[in-house]
Amino acid sequence: MTKPFTRILFGGDYNPEQWPREVWDEDIRLFKMAGINSATINVFSWAKLQPDENTYDFSQLDEIVALLGRAGIDIVLATSTGAMPAWLAKKYPEVTRVDFEGRRHLYGGRHNHCPNSLVFQKYAGRLVEQLARRYGGNPHIVCWHISNEYNTGCYCENCAKAFRVWLKKKYGTLEAVNDAWNTSFWGHTFYDWDEIVPPSILSEGMDFGGLRKTNFAGMSIDYDRFLSDSLLENFKMERDIIRRYDPDTPVTTNLMGTYKGPDYFKWAKEMDIVSWDNYPAYNTPWSYTAMCHDLMRGLKGKPFMLMEQTPSQQNWQPYNSLKKPGQMRAQSLQTVAHGADTVQFFQLRRSKGGCEKFHGAVISHSGSSETRVFREVARLGKELAGLGGSLLGAESPAEAGVLFDWDNYWALEYASGPSADLTYCDQIHRYYRCFYNRHIPVDMVPVDGDLSRYKVIAAPVLYMVKEGVAEALARFVRQGGVLITGFMSGIVDESDNVHLGGYPGPLRELCGVWAEEIDALAPGQQNTLRFGDWTEAGCALLCDILHPEGAETVAQYGADFYAGTPAVTRHAFGKGTVYYVGTQPDEAGLAKILDMAVQDAGARPAIADETALEVTRRVKDGKEFLFILNFTGAEQPVPESLRGETDRLTGEKLPEIFPPFGAALVVREA
Ligand SMILES: [Zn+2]
């Protein structure tokens, strides 16, 4: 058990090494004005700390740590290994990565190392050892932050060798590998381990207009697992060094929500606390951002850190809108509502050069505190400080779960067919959004999670059903749970080979349906769903042609040669129920189906009122914290049941009308 935080960390990335010394005192003055109580430092300082192979220089970092400590600012200390120094790449070119296109990179960028380079591991380990020995146990350091946004894919010769070792450990024999990857397809049987090479574009990889596909999904999925594990080994190496010198301070690395790279459920088991960087685009639905927060909370089933968000503008998206007045505050509170115990920005002072010079910061290029952004940050800092530690560690109880699984994510998107428009996170979000719109709290649950905690579980596009998963779902339903699944579920095993005997394979008996064929609808093509109550909804993308095997029909198709056949079914199984949704209904259609499922399950919302506001609940010590947020873009009346309550943030009565980005927090007995 590592030391918990004693206050809501409010601050962010701070890079004083990019600025002359005289700017630092001004920074501290402005931080105080803005209520900033923490700084994440040393994220990209390797070159500064180690000018050559044999020299280390911590004098400047000593000064920065001391300065922040004197000012009472908590430090999140990064290890700097997210970007290596130029001399390392020059002397040892094999530390740079080889990309999916098979190109060996020169020095440049960040996250630019081969995770299986022994040279990288040696020099990164040495640096971290120096840092841990020097700063481990420093009372101002409240968290260690390893590397940064791990995302390196590498297809080099080092990685090829390490992949073969990984495969030998997993499969034991080459026969087992051939069998798992079904290499008799196209005559790709391997007779020697050395014949196996990384599935880059030069090998089994394919590029379908920017989408990564593969000739052998079993191999490519294993390579993704291997890359995730390789990077995780880098993380664990640094963590273990830090632990030798500092066993009590929590260790994290900043994750990226629904990023497709590493298997974050596996990673979270090795992290003391999850942290992540939240960068929605101007048109990202608020429900999607909420889903990302719930996913990050779900990784450990515990509160998390918001390591980065921009105070206003981003720079790396095609269109970098300003956050409108009140938006940053509402967005920060949404993060806390869904389980964050920190609110941190990238970054505190805006860089003067480099590709992030247009990325927003608390202190703008003007250097002034008289800016809209600075004032909004200062207001939020004051409000969060007012909460003290009252909210820290608060739980987020949920009766609904949505399954999320990186193996499924990779596998579904590697599949060639039946539709190029089928993407994993979009399908997951469609189901999440229905719960969100009904204020029903959701946990994002791994496929090997404890399902018995939930009344209703949505498992859309559960394409890959690994060993034990079908049995766990059946147990959940038999004991009274309500399961919703549907098209492209139960199709393949963990090596991406089809479960023979008819879709949805191992889920067929549970769902009480057989999906004989899957039709793909092109963009603009539609079918209709006809429900038993004579209402209709649209549907698109994919249409399973279903034969009920014990399930009753909830809705039929309205058109095509399968008009009048079941599209959505409901199956009583044990004490529970399974809904099978054989197509992609429009938003209203899916909401109607989910309403039936929620009613069957008896899952309760955070608030019973009909309201377009987001209402999210955390619970601690017999108190409930209700966050009320307006992301609708229009004025919204206060929910009836909250009328007359006091806003804990402002100390005033809740307004009758919430303006766009209006936000409030009600604390009351649970
Ligand atoms: Zn490599």
Side-chain angles (χ1 to χ4, degrees):
M1 182 68 185
T2 49
K3 276 185 303 194
F5 301 136
T6 55
R7 55 185 177 182
I8 297 176
L9 298 190
F10 183 67
D13 277 42
Y14 177 45
N15 302 298
E17 72 280 2
Q18 296 176 12
W19 297 92
R21 178 66 185 83
E22 57 270 22
V23 177
W24 301 2
D25 292 324
E26 173 66 359
D27 289 335
I28 298 291
R29 186 183 76 82
L30 291 168
F31 293 170
K32 297 250 163 190
M33 279 179 77
I36 281 166
N37 65 24
S38 84
T40 305
I41 57 169
N42 204 44
V43 181
F44 294 112
S45 310
W46 190 347
K48 180 74 87 176
L49 300 176
Q50 192 178 5
D52 63 51
E53 199 166 346
N54 300 308
T55 313
Y56 290 95
D57 178 2
F58 293 96
S59 55
Q60 192 186 55
L61 185 56
D62 285 348
E63 209 181 335
I64 294 164
V65 168
L67 177 81
L68 293 168
R70 276 197 305 278
I73 292 174
D74 290 337
I75 296 169
V76 176
L77 186 63
T79 60
S80 280
T81 52
M84 61 188 166
W87 58 259
L88 187 66
K90 182 182 163 199
K91 183 151 186 200
Y92 305 100
E94 76 266 29
V95 298
T96 62
R97 72 190 187 108
V98 170
D99 61 23
F100 180 66
E101 286 71 29
R103 300 171 299 194
R104 163 78 67 192
H105 281 212
L106 300 173
Y107 179 71
R110 54 179 187 168
H111 317 300
N112 42 6
H113 73 273
C114 164
N116 288 297
S117 158
L118 295 178
V119 174
F120 175 81
Q121 291 168 15
K122 175 176 144 188
Y123 284 92
R126 276 188 187 174
L127 175 68
V128 174
E129 177 116 28
Q130 297 266 353
L131 286 165
R133 187 185 298 147
R134 195 173 192 91
Y135 302 107
N138 182 306
H140 302 291
I141 295 169
V142 297
C143 186
W144 286 89
H145 172 342
I146 290 178
S147 191
N148 185 69
E149 296 183 344
Y150 276 105
N151 68 12
T152 317
C154 187
Y155 296 79
C156 78
E157 192 48 43
N158 276 331
C159 287
K161 285 183 190 144
F163 184 42
R164 292 171 201 135
V165 172
W166 186 94
L167 290 170
K168 278 179 195 164
K169 199 168 157 202
K170 175 168 179 177
Y171 292 103
T173 66
L174 205 47
E175 290 69 32
V177 175
N178 280 313
D179 192 43
W181 295 350
N182 197 39
T183 51
S184 52
F185 174 75
W186 285 0
H188 283 211
T189 307
F190 297 110
Y191 291 98
D192 191 319
W193 290 98
D194 289 348
E195 291 163 9
I196 298 174
V197 296
S200 72
I201 195 96
L202 305 180
S203 168
E204 304 292 5
M206 293 189 283
D207 184 349
F208 270 28
L211 287 175
R212 276 189 194 181
K213 298 285 181 182
T214 175
N215 298 318
F216 284 85
M219 181 186 199
S220 292
I221 293 163
D222 269 342
Y223 201 74
D224 287 341
R225 290 171 178 144
F226 156 76
L227 280 177
S228 177
D229 286 354
S230 300
L231 287 167
L232 183 56
E233 286 304 315
N234 288 177
F235 171 85
K236 283 161 65 184
M237 174 193 74
E238 293 195 28
R239 180 205 61 192
D240 292 347
I241 293 169
I242 291 167
R243 287 241 170 105
R244 284 210 295 276
Y245 296 91
D246 186 351
D248 302 324
T249 306
V251 178
T252 191
T253 183
N254 47 347
L255 309 180
M256 295 181 284
T258 54
Y259 180 66
K260 200 174 171 181
D263 177 350
Y264 286 157
F265 276 115
K266 195 168 182 185
W267 276 61
K269 293 187 172 87
E270 306 293 340
M271 298 164 67
D272 294 321
I273 185 168
V274 166
S275 65
W276 89 284
D277 301 347
N278 180 29
Y279 291 107
Y282 74 96
N283 55 356
T284 303
W286 291 100
S287 52
Y288 193 95
T289 303
M291 180 180 86
C292 290
H293 290 315
D294 287 349
L295 178 61
M296 295 295 99
R297 190 189 68 245
L299 296 181
K300 284 187 90 70
K302 286 189 179 150
F304 59 90
M305 301 170 74
L306 176 70
M307 188 64 87
E308 294 183 20
Q309 66 170 347
T310 177
S312 182
Q313 198 161 33
Q314 295 169 45
N315 73 295
W316 49 268
Q317 301 204 11
Y319 309 101
N320 299 283
S321 323
L322 297 178
K323 285 184 180 168
K324 297 186 185 345
Q327 182 178 348
M328 182 278 293
R329 174 173 179 262
Q331 204 170 321
S332 301
L333 292 169
Q334 184 191 35
T335 310
V336 176
H338 285 269
D341 277 354
T342 76
V343 174
Q344 296 157 273
F345 298 103
F346 184 88
Q347 57 182 331
L348 297 185
R349 182 180 277 278
R350 202 171 201 173
S351 311
K352 73 170 188 171
C355 64
E356 289 180 328
K357 65 180 178 296
F358 286 125
H359 194 292
V362 173
I363 304 168
S364 72
H365 287 150
S366 74
S368 170
S369 59
E370 292 304 312
T371 65
R372 177 180 71 90
V373 168
F374 190 92
R375 281 191 294 269
E376 291 192 29
V377 169
R379 177 189 173 184
L380 180 64
K382 200 169 160 200
E383 288 176 340
L384 293 177
L387 295 176
S390 63
L391 190 66
L392 293 176
E395 294 178 350
S396 306
E399 294 176 340
V402 174
L403 293 194
F404 195 98
D405 179 53
W406 265 267
D407 279 331
N408 261 284
Y409 192 172
W410 300 329
L412 186 80
E413 298 192 358
Y414 275 134
S416 298
S419 170
D421 291 344
L422 182 61
T423 55
Y424 184 71
C425 294
D426 174 53
Q427 293 300 324
I428 301 291
H429 173 243
R430 284 168 187 272
Y431 282 73
Y432 179 92
R433 181 174 57 192
C434 292
F435 291 122
Y436 175 88
N437 287 341
R438 297 289 189 271
H439 318 294
I440 293 172
V442 172
D443 277 348
M444 303 298 285
V445 183
V447 292
D448 60 352
D450 175 9
L451 309 184
S452 68
R453 303 157 63 115
Y454 305 102
K455 292 183 171 173
V456 55
I457 286 178
V461 289
L462 190 64
Y463 171 68
M464 177 183 285
V465 175
K466 293 176 272 193
E467 223 178 299
V469 172
E471 293 76 7
L473 290 171
R475 199 158 48 240
F476 165 72
V477 179
R478 204 173 280 122
Q479 289 165 358
V482 175
L483 173 70
I484 311 138
T485 185
F487 67 85
M488 289 301 273
S489 294
I491 309 275
V492 298
D493 65 12
E494 83 132 58
S495 298
D496 203 68
N497 292 312
V498 169
H499 289 293
L500 299 176
Y503 314 140
L507 306 179
R508 184 168 165 180
E509 193 193 334
L510 178 61
C511 297
V513 291
W514 169 38
E516 185 185 342
E517 292 182 277
I518 310 166
D519 197 11
L521 277 56
Q525 292 182 340
Q526 281 254 336
N527 204 317
T528 48
L529 288 177
R530 290 189 179 149
F531 288 92
D533 61 2
W534 304 105
T535 59
E536 289 196 356
C539 66
L541 191 72
L542 293 175
C543 295
D544 277 355
I545 300 178
L546 297 175
H547 302 281
E549 296 175 330
E552 56 179 301
T553 299
V554 171
Q556 297 176 340
Y557 291 112
D560 218 315
F561 72 91
Y562 40 92
T565 68
V568 181
T569 61
R570 182 176 182 277
H571 187 221
F573 185 89
K575 292 183 195 158
T577 309
V578 182
Y579 285 82
Y580 187 94
V581 186
T583 182
Q584 178 185 287
D586 62 21
E587 194 172 344
L590 189 59
K592 188 181 171 85
I593 298 161
L594 272 265
D595 280 350
M596 294 179 209
V598 164
Q599 199 152 20
D600 286 349
R604 290 161 297 178
I607 187 170
D609 307 57
E610 283 257 343
T611 173
L613 296 165
E614 180 183 320
V615 182
T616 304
R617 182 171 175 259
R618 288 180 74 178
V619 174
K620 182 183 171 185
D621 298 338
K623 285 200 168 56
E624 69 170 5
F625 297 75
L626 274 183
F627 291 82
I628 305 119
L629 305 161
N630 186 359
F631 294 123
T632 66
E635 293 185 338
Q636 298 293 341
V638 64
E640 197 58 44
S641 70
L642 295 177
R643 201 174 283 272
E645 294 277 3
T646 302
D647 178 2
R648 181 76 170 69
L649 299 170
T650 61
E652 291 163 16
K653 290 268 175 255
L654 290 188
E656 286 293 303
I657 300 290
F658 275 68
F661 298 120
L665 170 61
V666 170
V667 184
R668 58 186 189 181
E669 298 303 313

